[in-house]
Amino acid sequence: MTELPLITHWVDGAPLRGASTRTAPVFNPALGAVAKNVILASATDVDTAVASAHAAYPLWRDTSQAKRQGMMFNFRELLNARKGELADILTAEHGKVTSDALGEIARGLEVVEFALGMPHLSKGEYSENVSTGVDVYTLRQPLGVVGIISPFNFPAMVPLWFFPIAIAAGNTVVLKPSEKDPSASNWMAALMTEAGLPAGVLNVLHGDKEAVDALLVHPDVQAISFVGSTPIAQYIYETAAHHGKRVQALGGAKNHMLVLPDADLDLAADAAVNAGFGSAGERCMAISVVVAVEPVADDLVAKITARLKSLKVGDGMRGCDMGPLITKVHRDKVASYIDLAQTDGAEVVVDGRGIEVDGDASGFWLGPTLFDKVSTDSDVYLDEIFGPVLSIVRVASYAEGLDLINRSRYGNGTAIFTNDGGAARRFQNEVQVGMVGINVPIPVPVAYHSFGGWKDSLFGDAKAYGPAGIAFYTREKAITSRWLDPSHGGINLGFPQNA
Ligand code: NAD
């Protein structure tokens, strides 16, 4: 039997086997088979990676903005030219179809392009002569070593939300990607090296809870950026903050799409299908609940059902619409909600079990699934299912729909579909959610705005990328300066006042 490839860490600009002997399997979800193994770091390996980042920091921090910008520009060019290679890695380990993998990379590239503006974005302010002969100005300086912990569902985009900004601002990084699809991070780190990044500035450490826990309490780590499920996000936030770190921890979601009776139902049905089933529903901004304001529910369900029947499920390399789920365990858990929906009185309009696929029979397949008349007391409604499952909840009015959305524990994304500008404007004002789409089902802000939810979808107060990303990865220093002038001498113990 041939031995499977082993994915190692990337530390100090080169692959590292590390001290730990623990490994985890990495599947090809479309084949349902283990394709590789990945090393799982021990606390000693975390020390090694952090030491590398810590040692690289002083030189990187003092590298000129022009040189940092030049390196990032090279990375942007290389990534853009070779994105097809990265998309193939994403499809092989995550399962998402090629077009979706390229979409994820495009959104990551946007952040790289945003980070190219760092010399402008991190500029301070200057006030001359605030008191006689005294000037005040501010600088934004990097933090030091920052830890980034990312989820399985965007193996390229989520790391790209963070490390380009952190690095362009002068920090050094230890990135701990999901152990389920780890190769994309190694590939990007090698590309950063090719772009001219000095060794130790970007380290990739693979692992599970053991590695994360060591990173959260490490005295040389100044900040943690986390993206993942809500319970882990809360744990990360509390643990890292308790250890004195700056933390941003983005969690899970349950995103509602409110369809008003005046909406164009064909456009709404297209949007619900695209946003509900793209990436097999494994997106934190997926629409998982359509809230239909009567009397449109019957029509909308019929239109969504017709569209679901035409979706091609299969191997992401074969031009299908939707790929497999990430693991068999996750596939089975998502499928278990179909039984639960039946038990809890919902109508299973489309059942994704046993669908025909264009791919290997052993893949982790589940076809598009649609539930109607879902009870808001059911776990089908309450849980983040994170799969190709869409629920319809019927309400009598805008106010009832809004109230439902605002009672959700999550507040990541939401959308309203309507042709009524007044209703849309009222919704954007009243809804308790961090990212809102008006006739846009997946309102992921562009890179020069920031991404993040409210309530249990984000712990800490810093959103990702955009202005919030600059603020997170830098800290402000205010300088008050006076150049020597004998007229300012003398003793005065009073609090400084400006004159
Ligand atoms: P996850 O929480 O299982 O894992 C995320 C990261 O945490 C991984 O790197 C993992 O190794 C690590 N981890 C897992 N268990 C841990 C533990 N007990 N202690 C410490 N670290 C641990 O999430 P996932 O399944 O990889 O990703 C899907 C989740 O991520 C969904 O809930 C989704 O909504 C969420 N997500 C949120 C956003 C957002 O921007 N809000 C974006 C993408 C994904």
Side-chain angles (χ1 to χ4, degrees):
M1 212 174 96
T2 48
E3 215 172 299
L4 294 173
L6 182 68
I7 301 165
T8 57
H9 313 297
W10 179 273
V11 173
D12 223 13
L16 176 79
R17 175 72 178 73
S20 164
T21 52
R22 287 195 310 128
T23 62
V26 177
F27 290 91
N28 180 327
L31 301 178
V34 180
K36 302 166 192 164
N37 288 298
V38 61
I39 290 276
L40 300 176
S42 63
T44 308
D45 298 320
V46 173
D47 283 344
T48 307
V50 173
S52 164
H54 193 58
Y57 176 62
L59 202 59
W60 184 244
R61 172 196 192 278
D62 290 335
T63 298
S64 73
Q65 302 248 25
K67 284 189 180 139
R68 284 193 229 142
Q69 201 182 16
M71 184 286 305
M72 200 56 78
F73 184 81
N74 293 342
F75 177 65
R76 190 265 169 208
E77 293 296 274
L78 287 169
L79 182 55
N80 193 39
R82 289 170 51 188
K83 58 191 171 202
E85 282 172 44
L86 182 56
D88 286 349
I89 292 172
L90 301 185
T91 301
E93 290 185 7
H94 176 281
K96 62 179 68 182
V97 300
T98 300
S99 56
D100 195 33
L102 286 169
E104 141 167 23
I105 297 166
R107 296 309 299 262
L109 264 166
E110 267 183 21
V111 183
V112 180
E113 288 160 4
F114 173 71
L116 284 173
M118 188 58 69
H120 174 72
L121 295 164
S122 59
K123 276 191 307 204
E125 294 175 316
Y126 200 108
S127 300
E128 189 188 40
N129 221 25
V130 296
S131 185
T132 307
V134 177
D135 302 334
V136 174
Y137 51 96
T138 55
L139 312 175
R140 296 211 74 93
Q141 296 190 326
L143 308 175
V145 178
V146 303
I148 298 169
I149 302 158
S150 59
F152 82 82
N153 66 317
F154 284 113
M157 185 183 77
V158 168
L160 285 168
W161 281 356
F162 300 107
F163 77 74
I165 296 178
I167 288 174
N171 300 282
T172 57
V173 171
V174 175
L175 165 63
K176 206 301 289 171
S178 169
E179 63 276 36
K180 296 193 175 98
D181 41 21
S183 296
S185 289
N186 281 20
W187 188 90
M188 291 190 286
L191 208 68
M192 286 285 274
T193 302
E194 202 177 322
L197 189 73
V201 177
L202 173 59
N203 304 278
V204 179
L205 197 77
H206 298 293
D208 55 7
K209 181 170 171 53
E210 187 173 336
V212 172
D213 283 346
L215 211 48
L216 296 183
V217 302
H218 200 295
D220 289 334
V221 173
Q222 305 302 323
I224 294 286
S225 300
F226 172 88
V227 180
S229 57
T230 286
I232 310 295
Q234 184 164 9
Y235 165 74
I236 300 283
Y237 176 71
E238 287 169 1
T239 311
H242 183 70
H243 285 83
K245 309 199 189 309
R246 191 176 276 207
V247 200
Q248 52 181 175
L250 286 73
K254 189 91 185 183
N255 305 312
H256 299 67
M257 171 172 153
L258 183 64
V259 181
L260 298 193
D262 72 318
D264 179 323
L265 292 190
D266 284 302
L267 285 184
D270 286 345
V273 170
N274 295 340
F277 300 95
S279 204
E282 291 173 328
R283 287 182 184 148
C284 67
M285 289 293 275
I287 290 293
S288 40
V289 184
V290 170
V291 182
V293 180
E294 293 292 24
V296 299
D298 282 344
D299 279 357
L300 192 59
V301 169
K303 286 175 189 294
I304 293 174
T305 306
R307 284 159 173 78
L308 294 188
K309 297 264 153 84
S310 70
L311 289 187
K312 260 176 64 191
V313 178
D315 193 314
M317 304 272 188
R318 297 191 196 173
C320 300
D321 298 305
M322 201 182 98
L325 292 172
I326 184 76
T327 57
K328 181 169 183 336
V329 173
H330 185 56
R331 184 257 168 228
D332 292 348
K333 183 169 175 223
V334 175
S336 74
Y337 281 94
I338 302 175
D339 289 328
L340 183 64
Q342 272 158 339
T343 310
D344 287 355
E347 280 176 24
V348 180
V349 184
V350 182
D351 185 335
R353 292 172 294 196
I355 42 129
E356 264 189 35
V357 295
D358 180 8
D360 194 287
S362 316
F364 307 138
W365 308 111
L366 184 66
T369 296
L370 182 66
F371 304 141
D372 191 10
K373 300 180 184 154
V374 173
S375 154
T376 52
D377 296 329
S378 168
D379 285 344
V380 170
Y381 171 75
L382 297 168
D383 293 354
E384 181 185 36
I385 300 175
F386 220 56
V389 173
L390 184 64
S391 294
I392 309 285
V393 174
R394 296 169 177 236
V395 295
S397 63
Y398 162 87
E400 195 187 330
L402 177 77
D403 180 57
L404 197 64
I405 299 170
N406 285 350
R407 276 192 284 118
S408 172
R409 66 181 287 214
Y410 299 107
N412 214 37
T414 189
I416 185 168
F417 275 70
T418 180
N419 284 314
D420 179 340
R425 194 164 180 278
R426 188 173 156 192
F427 184 72
Q428 80 180 23
N429 175 262
E430 293 177 340
V431 75
Q432 301 292 307
V433 173
M435 292 173 282
V436 180
I438 296 175
N439 299 315
V440 172
I442 309 188
V444 174
V446 288
Y448 36 97
H449 288 265
S450 298
F451 179 104
W454 287 11
K455 300 191 267 186
D456 283 0
S457 296
L458 190 147
F459 297 86
D461 56 5
K463 290 185 167 197
Y465 66 73
I470 306 290
F472 186 78
Y473 288 126
T474 55
R475 59 187 149 191
E476 196 180 80
K477 190 180 270 178
I479 321 284
T480 303
S481 144
R482 178 173 70 196
W483 289 98
L484 293 183
D485 174 346
S487 69
H488 291 122
I491 299 292
N492 180 354
L493 300 192
F495 198 67
Q497 292 181 45
N498 298 322

